[in-house]
Every structure is written in structure tokens, then in C-alpha cells.
Amino acid sequence: MSNTDRPDEQPAAVPARTPVPAPNAVASPDEVTIRRAPKFGVFIVGGAVLGFLATLVVVSLTMNLPGQDDDTSFGGLVGYFSLWGVTIGAFVGAVVAVVFDRVYARRAARLTAERVEVELPPETVVGELDDHGDQRP
């Protein structure tokens, strides 16, 4: 049976809740710069990989030229020249990242943002003890 069928019964009194205080908010304007920035590590590793691939292509194209000694293996040549290829590729990747960083720095936008610091009121309940029962005799 629902409560609407018995009009003579009143619901139990709900205890009044104390109003919850509103948090304090302090706003202050700040000027910020928004721009894109390249990830230098990605450019350096990408340049190193491209330098290794370029070394691999150059060594494979020049492996069987006339007038060369056949004493060296393909792996040995790739290993030796990849030291130069990877180093030069990583350097070129870093230079490209620096150039992109300078270009993106020129396109940076300066905006005013509003910083809001919110201070929450302490949470207390009526009748709650501050020490939470940690007292010792």
C-alpha cells in the first residue's frame, strides 16, 4: 500500500540540515603564451633513423663498384658508415627541430587567462568531534 492511500499518516520529520557554506574563490588575471612546440627527441631519433637508412642505401649502391677490395663484408661497411650516417642524421634532425621551434615562436599568441583559486570551507558536521576519537587515557 502506498502513502497516498492513507492520508492520515504523516511522513517522519526530516531533521533540518545546516546550510553548506559556499567556497571562497579568488580570481586573478594572468598573461599566457600559447604556441606549438616540436618534440626534440622525436626529431633527433627520426633524423638518426633516416641517417641509418641513407647509409644503408649508399653502401648497397656502392658495394660492387669496380676497383674496390672484396675483403670487406656488407655488414662491416654498413656498421662503420652508419656511425657517420646516424650522427649526421641526428644533427640534421635537431637543426630541423630548432628551426620549427623558432618558426612556431613567432606565431605565438599572447592571451589573458583568469586564474581561479578556490578555498574550500572546512567540512564539519554538527556534533562531530574534532579529534575523531583518537584520545588516549
Side-chain angles (χ1 to χ4, degrees), residues 59 62-74 76-77 81:
V59 168
T62 60
M63 182 72 183
N64 294 324
L65 290 178
Q68 290 183 345
D69 294 334
D70 291 332
D71 296 341
T72 56
S73 66
F74 178 74
L77 287 175
F81 286 112

Side-chain angles (χ1 to χ4, degrees), residues 10 30 39 52 70 99 117:
Q10 295 295 328
D30 288 334
K39 295 183 178 181
F52 177 75
D70 291 332
V99 168
E117 294 182 23

Side-chain angles (χ1 to χ4, degrees), residues 69-94:
D69 294 334
D70 291 332
D71 296 341
T72 56
S73 66
F74 178 74
L77 287 175
V78 169
Y80 176 74
F81 286 112
S82 66
L83 294 173
W84 289 98
V86 168
T87 304
I88 293 171
F91 179 74
V92 170

Side-chain angles (χ1 to χ4, degrees), residues 92-105:
V92 170
V95 168
V96 169
V98 168
V99 168
F100 279 163
D101 188 42
R102 300 292 180 201
V103 169
Y104 289 147

